[in-house]
Amino acid sequence: MTLTASQHDWLRVRSYLREHRHALAVDAAADYPAGRRVAGTPLLTAPEWQPAEPVPLHDIELEFIAHALSANAGPAEAGPALAPLLPERPDGTRYRCYSDALRDLAAPAVFENRPTYRLIEADLGQARLAFIRGRYFDGVDTGEAAAHEFAATRLGAHPAGLRAGIADPCDLRRRPANLAITTLTLRSCAGRASFLLHWRDPAKVGHAGGMYQVIPVGVFQPSGEDSRHEREDFSLWRCMLREFDEELRGAPEEYGAGPDYDSWPFARHMNAALDRGQVRVWCLGLGVDPLTYATDLLTVAVIDSRVFDELFSLDPRGNAEGRVLAAREFAAHVIDRIVTSEPVQAAGAAVLRLAWRHREILTS
């Protein structure tokens, strides 16, 4: 394919963004007040998103407003603020939205516009989250475009105006927000704990490639297009179960069919351990990446070593989205080194800091 000068320039910025995501996120956080950041990390938050203590996951009330419509529920198409971020094709037309350009010029291995539960309200002081229907590309068309704009300005371009128009990325009325559930998994044994990190391969993932993250992490979304999935999968815990199976057990993603949670042996095992208190799951807060506006629910799953060893492994290995790294001790000096010296995603850094702050509650 013969590329236009505009496409070449877009790819140059995209490559810079991919190679410098961590440094760009740290720089982007500097544009916001220090008091908006979670535990001194780049992750941004709002007062109502920060519970004073960990909230048991099952205490969070979820509301799904199936009939709701939104003024910005569709893709962010080329306009005055977005047009400079979209290259021109050889026929002289400009790409309609950022996801179109990404799919055509630099698509990761899996890049599909699947349905999501779009977050529209959040108050973790009241343990409540509200959602409407969304699409994965809604977040790409705004968040990745905003990251592209930030990277382009570092290379000398004038700001396009997208980030200035959104202003406060924690204002869910200003942009589409696809929620990701970021889970720090702690293997607990005799008062000590260890955890795993995940390196995200930029060739395989559309978000945060080349960075470290806790594991598992996944977008809160149905497991298929059918309406029954929309109903049955509207559960934070069920979403986490699917991500545990894929990222820690290496199971293939079976999008479309969806699991039968009542008969699925892995789900039955985890649910039974949850009932016995051998698995404990907490929510520590909610935050937004300052570069990409990715929105993450920060959770911790504390798993008794006997249950963990029956279902998972601490061994380093590859998976569909990158590599699972060697286990690390859950300790202050380890967390400090990761957060300050390694290219860890903002949400991962934040959940590690908060988990250590609340370690007495989480590991008692």
Side-chain angles (χ1 to χ4, degrees):
M1 180 175 66
T2 302
L3 300 179
T4 65
S6 178
Q7 289 172 320
H8 275 294
D9 186 61
W10 186 93
L11 284 169
R12 179 178 66 91
V13 176
R14 184 72 193 176
S15 177
Y16 179 78
L17 170 60
R18 187 174 73 175
E19 293 172 13
H20 301 279
R21 274 188 184 269
H22 182 257
L24 289 169
V26 172
D27 288 349
D31 289 343
Y32 303 93
R36 296 291 302 275
R37 301 180 209 168
V38 178
T41 69
L43 196 73
L44 305 176
T45 192
E48 65 273 19
W49 295 1
Q50 302 176 83
E53 293 188 341
V55 178
L57 187 78
H58 288 81
D59 286 354
I60 298 176
E61 176 189 352
L62 304 184
E63 180 181 5
F64 182 57
I65 309 169
H67 61 275
L69 297 175
S70 174
N72 60 348
E77 299 185 0
L82 195 58
L85 308 174
L86 303 174
E88 291 185 355
R89 302 181 181 91
D91 64 3
T93 62
R94 192 177 295 275
Y95 284 95
R96 182 181 65 99
C97 51
Y98 196 87
S99 57
D100 283 353
L102 188 58
R103 179 167 46 195
D104 196 22
L105 300 173
V110 177
F111 193 63
E112 299 177 6
N113 194 21
R114 295 176 178 176
T116 64
Y117 304 108
R118 174 182 162 183
L119 184 67
I120 59 167
E121 296 177 22
D123 187 342
L124 290 177
Q126 300 296 320
R128 178 181 176 273
L129 302 172
F131 301 84
I132 62 173
R133 290 190 178 98
R135 284 278 170 179
Y136 180 71
F137 285 1
D138 295 347
V140 171
D141 289 331
T142 303
E144 285 297 312
H148 193 106
E149 178 188 17
F150 193 87
T153 60
R154 289 296 185 269
L155 294 175
H158 292 293
L162 176 62
R163 296 180 70 90
I166 290 173
D168 181 2
C170 295
D171 185 345
L172 299 176
R173 300 167 299 179
R174 307 288 295 178
R175 63 179 182 88
N178 288 327
L179 184 71
I181 304 174
T182 288
T183 302
L184 169 65
T185 303
L186 296 179
R187 177 188 179 273
S188 178
C189 180
R192 301 174 66 88
S194 56
F195 66 96
L196 297 167
L197 286 180
H198 190 202
W199 179 76
R200 294 173 59 79
D201 188 339
K204 297 179 178 179
V205 298
H207 173 67
M211 298 180 72
Y212 296 158
Q213 178 59 301
V214 296
I215 187 169
V217 176
V219 174
F220 187 36
Q221 61 186 5
S223 58
E225 295 277 351
D226 191 275
S227 59
R228 71 179 178 87
H229 296 305
E230 184 178 79
R231 296 189 303 271
E232 294 176 3
D233 295 335
F234 188 58
S235 159
L236 299 173
W237 174 240
R238 287 183 170 183
C239 180
M240 292 169 66
L241 285 176
R242 300 199 307 271
E243 296 300 329
F244 271 116
D245 195 40
E246 293 165 19
E247 294 189 3
L248 278 177
R249 289 164 56 86
E253 182 181 18
E254 297 181 358
Y255 183 77
D260 180 343
Y261 297 96
D262 292 331
S263 61
W264 183 15
F266 172 67
R268 290 167 61 92
H269 198 143
M270 286 287 281
N271 287 335
L274 190 71
D275 291 341
R276 293 193 300 267
Q278 294 174 302
V279 174
R280 300 178 302 282
V281 189
W282 308 85
C283 173
L284 306 188
L286 180 69
V288 173
D289 187 285
L291 179 66
T292 65
Y293 303 156
T295 306
D296 289 71
L297 191 71
L298 309 177
T299 66
V300 177
V302 182
I303 303 178
D304 182 88
S305 60
R306 291 165 294 180
V307 175
F308 187 100
D309 295 344
E310 289 174 359
L311 297 173
F312 308 113
S313 169
L314 289 176
D315 295 335
R317 58 201 179 276
N319 65 13
E321 296 184 350
R323 294 197 310 270
V324 181
L325 307 178
R328 309 191 188 198
E329 180 187 5
F330 183 59
H333 70 280
V334 175
I335 293 170
D336 286 341
R337 185 172 64 248
I338 292 170
V339 172
T340 60
S341 304
E342 299 184 18
V344 63
Q345 221 173 308
V351 75
L352 282 166
R353 288 280 198 210
L354 290 176
W356 185 252
R357 178 184 296 174
H358 296 295
R359 61 192 181 278
E360 298 294 338
I361 294 175
L362 299 177
T363 60
S364 62

